Amino acid sequence: MKHSVILLPLVVLIWVFLNGSVYCQGPAVVNIGAIFTFNSVIGRAAKVAMETAVSDVNADPKILNGTKLNLISEDANCSAFLGSVGAFQVLEEGVVAIIGPQSSAIAHMISEIANGLRVPLVSYAATDPTLSASQFPFFIRSTQSDSYQMAAVAELVDFYEWKEVIAIFVDDDYGRSGIAYLDDELEKKQLKIAYKLPLPIQLDPGNITDMLNKSKLLGPRVYVVHVGPDPSLRIFSIAQQLEMITTNYVWLATDWLSTTLDSFSQMNKTSLRILQGVVGLRQHIPESSQKRAFVSRWRKFLLEGLARSELNTYGFQAYDTVWTAAYSIDKFLKKQRNITFSSSDKLQKFISTKMQMRTLKVFDHGSLLHDILLKTNFTGLSGQVQFNQDRNIVSGGYDVINIDKMAIHTVGYWSNSSGFSILPQENPQMDQKNYSRPNQKLKNVTWPGGKTERPRGWVIADNGRPLRIGVPFRASFVEFATKVNNSDDMQGYCIDVFKEALKLVPYDVPYKLEPFGDGHSNPSYDGIVKMVQNGSFDAAVGDIAIVTNRTRIVDFSQPYATTGLVIVAPIHNSKSSAWVFLKPFTVEMWCVTAASFVMIAVVIWILEHRVNNDFRGPPRKQLVTMFLFSFSTLFKTNQESTESSLGKMVMVVWLFLLMVITASYTASLTSILTVQQLSSPISGIDSLIASNWPIGYQVGSFAYSYLADNLYIARSRLIELGSPEEYENALRKGPKGGGVGAIIDELTYVDLFLSKQTEFGIIGQPFTKSGWGFAFKRDSQLAVDISTAILKLSESGELQKIHEKWFCKMGCPGERRQNSEPNQLHMISFWGLYLLCGVFTIGALLVFLLQMVRQFVRYKREKKRSAPPSPISSRPHCSQVIYNFFDFIDEKEEAIKKIFTQSDNPPGPVS
């Protein structure tokens, strides 16, 4: 009894110790699942990579503290159904996490299962952006999302300045979602996917051939291919057979192509010849010692037969994903110590009645492991393994590759933080764009056909027929567009501009000009534009005004002629004015000229008064002489002449100024007297509207709708006119004789009409601003290229030469506009000349005054010396000095010099 009392506590103590030790050590084995397609481009590399990673984890004593990691793999066989079955099978084994699948379509299905059983699902290859954290909270992506890849593709299209692309994609969740994101990214840059060509999942060759043949009839030549890895490269093989990997074609591929090519053995690299000029993306994996060591191990696997394909980026990411799970499980076990599963009431109720999989249980601490997984941060083979707020791995960017001469060349890199660059950005900022377009750079790319010049990426649709170009067949103003001698050929100013512009388009444009109208009356221009909209015409060429309602349905080229609505009305000569001689100068100019005469008169009198007898005498005589001398210089009839040097210098400058002013006045007065001054009772559009007179307009012109709808002129006042002859007759008759008070038409037509008329003129300025352009279908690339060509014609002067060819045979038509102000001469044109004259005049006056002051001082000194001494000394007042100075100036120069001479030579003593 005594021994039993001692033995019982000892047994309890041993039992507690043993159980505590087991509890501290954790489970002996932790299961993780892997669901993927074993025999696939990605699966063959991923299988070996994951098994190698599990082996490396179990061999590392620093992780899991003795707990072994067990990988349970199931083959999905590219089937969502089989993948779901495989998911249930691995979950029955009590896995704490599932790695995979590689297919986005299968990932959608398994993510629902993972959510229900609270098991984290970490995929290294499901790139579908719609696998979002909000819909699938237990889904984590350890590879880059296609949202980043499509941003890179859109940047690539924009970098090379293409506007439209054709998207070829596999018709499943992966393909549709990727292209939808590409569409959004292109739209941000005002680019677009012109056509979408979905392909069945099996990539049937017959279907591919049909799709590519149809695409040859389309204009865009930039193809974006987004399908699954395909070792047969069926799309490119068929494209080569159809001669579509040639000059003018552009082929861009997402990372499926680089994954496929990286998986090829060296012997299979010969298939690269069909990819000449293709540009693709590859998920960027930075160089590191870890990566190089693993690549070396892989080569041994290939030699030993342990691996059946080369290593690709998804192989690196599959390896890192296993380590991500291992690190997270290690942290989980340190917190939770053990792994438990429990049954769900809802699940058990469903299983008991519908299914026989009673072993399915919910992972009790799945949320905790999920949170730990999201905090992963380590450097793996593929670079930094870290997840962002969307539960996607932080994007490491993409390599831009180019296949040339059966070799893969890296021509640059793209990251979401720096854009395109020659060197990789190894430390990208998370989801931050801080780059600008001018800083983007890539190495030279060799395109299909072996050319290094950037392909245009667009051609005229190869549908076996030329473009149908509609041309207005006018009955009047045929200089713009008309038939040639009743043939099918067309000629005119507009036709010549179009043909010259086509010469500058860098590709061949087959076309056929088709007249629109009967030639007996001007056609409806809105009608021809609508025919372009509905496809009856591919484009319209002619004197087509670019107005708002037309721009809503078609695209216009750059305007090749500037125009606007103007008013044409009868004019008559204005009566001559009795004061027409005053019109050459402005009031300011007259005042300054008159002041100059007065100034010259005063200055010359001052300079000549002491030395010239003509400027002396009674004050009245001096005043008359002074002004007569000044004004007589205008007619060169002055009898007086200057004698002083300063006076002569001033007169030279003044006569030069007077010569220029006189010549300018004569020329301006001649112009005013000979140029016809036009006038009309109509002063502008407002007075015309208020007059209630009938208003003429050209048949087919947009002027009718503009006047009625925008200016609210009664339609009953608008008179339809069809030719220049009708213009002339209606204006001659006038509003009282059954004609019109004025005609409103576009300036270009009016110029041509007035070139043959002298009784009519343009009243006021154009009250609308518009231009003529060529109409094209919506989003037509040809519209952009023709616009560029028109700008080149304008810059080179060729556009003006075409205009002169048609409208300047008898002299270019001038605009006759009512001008209320004659061409007067303004002070601004002569201020420099007046300033020069003023400087010389004032300078001469200052020199004269300095001379006078010097003489006056000497005169006072001599006078003081010769005067007898006075006992009373007094200083003269300032006013007296000034008065004496003016008296001194009034004296003749000869008298003063005589006084100075006597002072210098006094008389000798009498002997």
Side-chain angles (χ1 to χ4, degrees):
M1 186 69 177
K2 182 178 179 181
H3 292 288
S4 62
V5 172
I6 297 173
L7 187 61
L8 183 61
L10 183 61
V11 171
V12 172
L13 182 62
I14 293 172
W15 182 83
V16 171
F17 176 77
L18 291 174
N19 278 276
S21 298
V22 172
Y23 178 77
C24 292
Q25 289 179 358
V29 177
V30 174
N31 294 328
I32 59 174
I35 302 170
F36 58 99
T37 300
F38 293 174
N39 189 25
S40 65
V41 173
I42 295 176
R44 285 191 288 270
K47 187 176 187 298
V48 179
M50 287 190 290
E51 291 172 350
T52 304
V54 171
S55 176
D56 291 348
V57 169
N58 290 332
D60 191 344
K62 298 179 182 179
I63 190 171
L64 291 177
N65 194 24
T67 299
K68 295 298 181 182
L69 195 65
N70 182 39
L71 181 68
I72 303 173
S73 302
E74 291 291 339
D75 192 353
N77 282 307
C78 296
S79 169
F81 172 73
L82 294 178
S84 300
V85 172
F88 284 122
Q89 290 174 343
V90 298
L91 286 168
E92 286 179 344
E93 300 295 330
V95 298
V96 298
I98 298 175
I99 297 176
Q102 67 197 51
S103 167
S104 297
I106 300 175
H108 276 276
M109 183 71 73
I110 299 180
S111 294
E112 295 285 3
I113 301 172
N115 288 347
L117 298 179
R118 295 184 170 277
V119 176
L121 176 65
V122 187
S123 178
Y124 57 86
T127 57
D128 181 0
T130 61
L131 287 164
S132 63
S134 57
Q135 184 179 3
F136 306 111
F138 278 80
F139 176 82
I140 300 173
R141 198 192 322 264
S142 58
T143 187
Q144 297 188 51
S145 168
D146 276 342
S147 61
Y148 292 103
Q149 180 167 212
M150 294 309 166
V153 174
E155 292 271 4
L156 195 62
V157 174
D158 186 48
F159 179 82
Y160 287 109
E161 298 180 350
W162 296 310
K163 302 299 180 184
E164 297 178 348
V165 302
I166 295 176
I168 300 176
F169 60 98
V170 62
D171 196 8
D172 63 1
D173 291 337
Y174 158 77
R176 287 190 297 270
S177 299
I179 295 303
Y181 269 76
L182 175 61
D183 207 357
D184 293 340
E185 292 295 332
L186 289 172
E187 188 176 359
K188 293 177 184 176
K189 302 179 182 300
Q190 297 182 339
L191 313 174
K192 72 171 187 174
I193 298 177
Y195 303 96
K196 297 180 181 179
L197 306 180
L199 297 173
I201 299 174
Q202 294 78 15
L203 295 181
D204 177 64
N207 195 283
I208 295 173
T209 302
D210 291 341
M211 285 288 191
L212 292 181
N213 268 324
K214 291 178 181 178
S215 73
K216 292 175 70 174
L217 304 179
L218 307 175
R221 284 292 182 266
V222 181
Y223 291 81
V224 176
V225 185
H226 183 58
V227 296
D230 178 21
S232 301
L233 300 174
R234 280 165 283 188
I235 293 176
F236 291 106
S237 297
I238 294 172
Q240 187 188 46
Q241 295 171 12
L242 298 176
E243 298 183 351
M244 295 178 66
I245 306 184
T246 55
T247 305
N248 292 330
Y249 282 88
V250 177
W251 290 90
L252 307 177
T254 53
D255 66 347
W256 71 270
L257 180 62
S258 61
T259 302
T260 302
L261 299 181
D262 291 342
S263 302
F264 283 173
S265 65
Q266 292 299 323
M267 295 182 64
N268 289 335
K269 295 290 186 180
T270 55
S271 59
L272 290 177
R273 67 167 59 92
I274 67 173
L275 300 174
Q276 172 64 36
V278 175
V279 174
L281 298 177
R282 176 198 285 136
Q283 295 191 47
H284 177 65
I285 296 180
E287 292 295 327
S288 65
S289 58
Q290 287 178 276
K291 176 183 174 182
R292 288 190 290 271
F294 190 76
V295 170
S296 179
R297 289 176 66 187
W298 196 272
R299 291 183 184 137
K300 293 180 181 179
F301 293 161
L302 291 171
L303 293 175
E304 295 170 0
L306 298 177
R308 293 187 296 156
S309 76
E310 294 287 346
L311 189 59
N312 55 47
T313 55
Y314 291 104
F316 290 112
Q317 291 167 343
Y319 181 91
D320 287 345
T321 302
V322 172
W323 274 94
T324 299
Y327 281 126
S328 300
I329 292 171
D330 181 57
K331 293 180 182 179
F332 171 83
L333 291 176
K334 289 178 181 179
K335 289 185 177 181
Q336 197 60 36
R337 299 295 181 186
N338 57 3
I339 296 172
T340 60
F341 298 87
S342 61
S343 300
S344 168
D345 293 339
K346 293 182 180 179
L347 183 62
Q348 287 300 320
K349 181 179 179 181
F350 177 77
I351 292 175
S352 62
T353 57
K354 305 290 183 182
M355 302 180 64
Q356 298 302 318
M357 293 183 290
R358 297 178 179 276
T359 55
L360 288 177
K361 293 184 179 181
V362 177
F363 183 16
D364 290 335
H365 303 290
S367 297
L368 176 60
L369 180 59
H370 175 266
D371 294 341
I372 293 173
L373 279 165
L374 292 178
K375 296 177 182 177
T376 300
N377 190 356
F378 72 96
T379 302
L381 296 179
S382 59
Q384 193 67 23
V385 180
Q386 186 179 3
F387 299 101
N388 59 22
Q389 59 184 3
D390 294 325
R391 301 173 193 176
N392 297 324
I393 199 168
V394 174
S395 174
Y398 290 86
D399 300 342
V400 182
I401 63 172
N402 176 221
I403 294 86
D404 179 35
K405 298 178 181 178
M406 296 177 59
I408 302 173
H409 305 276
T410 300
V411 295
Y413 306 87
W414 179 88
S415 73
N416 199 43
S417 59
S418 61
F420 291 112
S421 59
I422 302 298
L423 300 176
Q425 181 92 2
E426 300 297 359
N427 296 308
Q429 301 176 11
M430 296 178 66
D431 302 342
Q432 292 182 0
K433 291 185 178 181
N434 53 14
Y435 56 88
S436 58
R437 176 68 181 274
N439 297 327
Q440 307 297 288
K441 291 182 180 179
L442 287 174
K443 296 178 183 177
N444 291 333
V445 170
T446 302
W447 302 101
K451 291 188 176 181
T452 56
E453 296 84 6
R454 177 187 68 89
R456 290 193 43 76
W458 187 89
V459 296
I460 296 296
D462 185 13
N463 54 12
R465 70 168 180 87
L467 294 181
R468 297 182 60 196
I469 309 294
V471 181
F473 186 14
R474 297 189 57 87
S476 61
F477 296 108
V478 294
E479 291 86 351
F480 297 107
T482 190
K483 277 188 175 183
V484 179
N485 299 325
N486 297 321
S487 67
D488 292 334
D489 196 12
M490 307 286 292
Q491 70 175 11
Y493 166 67
C494 304
I495 306 300
D496 281 3
V497 173
F498 178 68
K499 290 180 177 179
E500 288 298 320
L502 279 184
K503 293 179 182 178
L504 299 178
V505 174
Y507 49 87
D508 184 45
V509 182
Y511 68 92
K512 180 181 179 182
L513 300 177
E514 298 186 8
F516 176 73
D518 55 13
H520 300 296
S521 62
N522 293 337
S524 168
Y525 282 69
D526 287 336
I528 193 173
V529 170
K530 288 179 180 177
M531 290 187 70
V532 174
Q533 178 196 19
N534 61 33
S536 299
F537 288 135
D538 296 304
V541 170
D543 46 333
I544 305 172
I546 304 173
V547 293
T548 304
N549 64 316
R550 295 173 186 171
T551 58
R552 294 192 181 106
I553 58 177
V554 296
D555 283 347
F556 278 94
S557 68
Q558 173 80 14
Y560 62 88
T562 302
T563 184
L565 292 178
V566 294
I567 301 171
V568 181
I571 55 174
H572 58 275
N573 295 338
S574 59
K575 294 182 180 180
S576 297
S577 171
W579 302 98
V580 68
F581 67 91
L582 295 176
K583 289 184 178 181
F585 286 168
T586 61
V587 175
E588 180 186 18
M589 186 71 177
W590 277 118
C591 292
V592 172
T593 303
S596 300
F597 276 99
V598 173
M599 182 185 72
I600 289 297
V602 173
V603 171
I604 292 297
W605 177 83
I606 294 174
L607 297 178
E608 295 293 319
H609 178 69
R610 302 183 73 240
V611 296
N612 195 333
N613 290 328
D614 292 334
F615 290 87
R616 299 186 66 81
R620 182 177 178 181
K621 177 191 174 185
Q622 294 185 48
L623 188 63
V624 172
T625 301
M626 178 174 63
F627 285 104
L628 281 177
F629 176 85
S630 176
F631 285 100
S632 63
T633 57
L634 184 64
F635 310 103
K636 301 180 178 59
T637 59
N638 49 312
Q639 298 179 354
E640 299 83 2
S641 60
T642 54
E643 295 184 6
S644 66
S645 299
L646 293 176
K648 291 178 180 179
M649 182 187 69
V650 171
M651 283 302 299
V652 169
V653 177
W654 169 247
L655 290 175
F656 174 76
L657 176 128
L658 206 58
M659 179 186 66
V660 174
I661 296 298
T662 304
S664 301
Y665 174 88
T666 304
S668 180
L669 182 60
T670 303
S671 175
I672 292 173
L673 292 174
T674 56
V675 174
Q676 189 180 49
Q677 298 299 307
L678 309 179
S679 64
S680 170
I682 299 171
S683 60
I685 186 63
D686 293 332
S687 64
L688 180 60
I689 295 173
S691 68
N692 291 321
W693 285 352
I695 301 172
Y697 70 93
Q698 184 182 173
V699 176
S701 171
F702 75 95
Y704 177 76
S705 58
Y706 181 83
L707 296 174
D709 299 335
N710 294 72
L711 301 183
Y712 306 105
I713 298 175
R715 297 178 188 271
S716 59
R717 291 181 58 192
L718 302 177
I719 307 301
E720 187 179 87
L721 302 173
S723 66
E725 292 74 18
E726 293 184 21
Y727 281 21
E728 182 180 357
N729 293 334
L731 289 172
R732 288 185 186 279
K733 291 179 180 179
K736 296 180 180 179
V740 297
I743 294 174
I744 292 180
D745 202 354
E746 294 179 68
L747 179 60
T748 316
Y749 299 118
V750 171
D751 273 344
L752 191 57
F753 170 68
L754 293 181
S755 66
K756 304 172 184 177
Q757 299 291 336
T758 58
E759 300 178 27
F760 314 109
I762 297 174
I763 306 301
Q765 299 294 324
F767 56 90
T768 65
K769 295 292 184 182
S770 63
W772 286 353
F774 305 134
F776 297 87
K777 291 180 180 179
R778 277 291 192 187
D779 302 319
S780 171
Q781 183 65 31
L782 184 57
V784 178
D785 296 331
I786 288 291
S787 294
T788 304
I790 290 173
L791 289 175
K792 291 179 180 178
L793 289 176
S794 177
E795 292 169 357
S796 66
E798 191 64 30
L799 202 60
Q800 181 61 28
K801 290 180 181 178
I802 299 173
H803 181 271
E804 292 173 359
K805 169 189 171 182
W806 283 96
F807 307 119
C808 297
K809 296 176 182 178
M810 302 298 293
C812 290
E815 297 181 359
R816 295 181 177 88
R817 289 181 173 81
Q818 186 173 356
N819 190 351
S820 59
E821 293 293 334
N823 294 322
Q824 295 181 308
L825 300 175
H826 296 266
M827 181 60 196
I828 192 172
S829 302
F830 301 93
W831 72 268
L833 196 56
Y834 276 105
L835 178 63
L836 181 66
C837 181
V839 168
F840 272 93
T841 302
I842 294 174
L845 188 61
L846 289 176
V847 171
F848 172 79
L849 290 176
L850 288 175
Q851 290 178 349
M852 291 301 98
V853 169
R854 179 172 171 273
Q855 285 186 1
F856 178 69
V857 171
R858 182 181 176 186
Y859 169 77
K860 294 297 289 183
R861 188 183 302 117
E862 294 296 334
K863 188 176 180 181
K864 185 177 181 181
R865 184 193 309 169
S866 60
S870 173
I872 301 174
S873 176
S874 63
R875 294 181 64 85
H877 294 290
C878 181
S879 59
Q880 186 177 358
V881 172
I882 294 174
Y883 182 77
N884 292 336
F885 178 71
F886 281 104
D887 283 345
F888 174 78
I889 293 176
D890 191 51
E891 293 289 336
K892 288 198 66 173
E893 181 74 10
E894 294 179 359
I896 300 301
K897 288 183 177 181
K898 186 176 182 180
I899 294 174
F900 290 160
T901 302
Q902 293 176 354
S903 175
D904 293 336
N905 301 298
V910 179
S911 57

